[in-house]
Amino acid sequence: MIARPSLMLLMAGAAGLSVVAHGVTAAAQDASQQGQPKTRLGTAIEQDMSQRDRQAAQRRRSLTLREQAAAAAEARLQASMASQRQATEAEAATGEPAEAEGAQFDELARIYQSMRPKNAAVVFEQLAMEVQVEVARRMRERNTALIMANMSPEGAARLTMALARGREDSGRRTAATGGAQAEAR
């Protein structure tokens, strides 16, 4: 007698062949789809993802710029605080409020620069010499020259001498201060 294969053995063989056939079919479909155009859904998804990537990159650039601006503002603030500290220390050392007076002289310089030189010269000559010198130092050279040209020769000469003396005095003070600082070290 010839032995017949059992039904179970036949079913297992058929299932194995079926698996192999499905694997071959799937591989053939993947290879054939690579050359075919994408579907509308696939294209839409890719476009959506690329748009999100661009937006994320733009947000990163924006955040980087904000961080840089914040760092620059912090540096300016620290520099300002340091200069204010130095001004306060200098004021304490010399005993004169330089910043408040300086602001007043800056404002006067702006006012005289905006006036016509002929009108400014008439008023400028009547000021105290210390005020004339401080305001003239804070003005642009061209405006100072135009005002001095419209002043009386005596007034212009006095202001010129005071300005020259002030530069000599400030040069001496700087040299003396530098020497004192060098000795203190």
Side-chain angles (χ1 to χ4, degrees), residues 21-168:
H22 284 299
V24 170
T25 306
Q29 284 180 352
D30 284 346
S32 67
Q33 283 183 356
Q34 286 178 357
Q36 292 181 352
K38 297 176 184 170
T39 63
R40 280 187 267 163
L41 179 62
T43 305
I45 290 172
E46 284 183 5
Q47 287 175 349
D48 225 13
M49 289 175 60
S50 67
Q51 182 180 5
R52 273 192 245 149
D53 290 344
R54 283 192 304 269
Q55 288 173 346
Q58 186 176 8
R59 279 192 298 267
R60 276 194 302 273
R61 282 191 302 267
S62 174
L63 287 174
T64 302
L65 288 175
R66 284 182 187 173
E67 288 174 359
Q68 290 173 351
E74 183 179 356
R76 282 194 306 267
L77 182 61
Q78 288 177 350
S80 174
M81 288 173 50
S83 68
Q84 285 178 352
R85 250 187 258 119
Q86 288 175 349
T88 305
E89 290 170 1
E91 181 180 315
T94 59
E96 41 183 83
E99 197 171 306
E101 283 184 21
Q104 290 174 340
F105 289 128
D106 288 340
E107 183 66 28
L108 284 173
R110 258 185 273 130
I111 290 170
Y112 282 108
Q113 287 181 91
S114 65
M115 294 173 67
R116 289 191 176 142
K118 187 175 184 177
N119 296 339
V122 172
V123 178
F124 202 76
E125 243 179 309
Q126 296 177 9
L127 298 174
M129 186 53 64
E130 297 84 32
V131 176
Q132 285 183 24
V133 170
E134 288 300 319
V135 172
R137 283 190 180 137
R138 286 172 169 75
M139 290 173 59
R140 289 188 290 267
E141 289 181 9
R142 173 123 173 92
N143 290 351
T144 304
L146 290 172
I147 290 174
M148 287 176 72
N150 285 295
M151 291 172 69
S152 69
E154 297 84 24
R158 279 193 306 252
L159 179 58
T160 303
M161 292 303 293
L163 284 170
R165 259 187 264 119
R167 288 198 179 117
E168 285 176 10

Side-chain angles (χ1 to χ4, degrees), residues 164-185:
R165 259 187 264 119
R167 288 198 179 117
E168 285 176 10
D169 291 344
S170 67
R172 287 183 196 148
R173 274 190 241 131
T174 304
T177 309
Q181 289 175 351
E183 289 173 11
R185 291 181 193 160

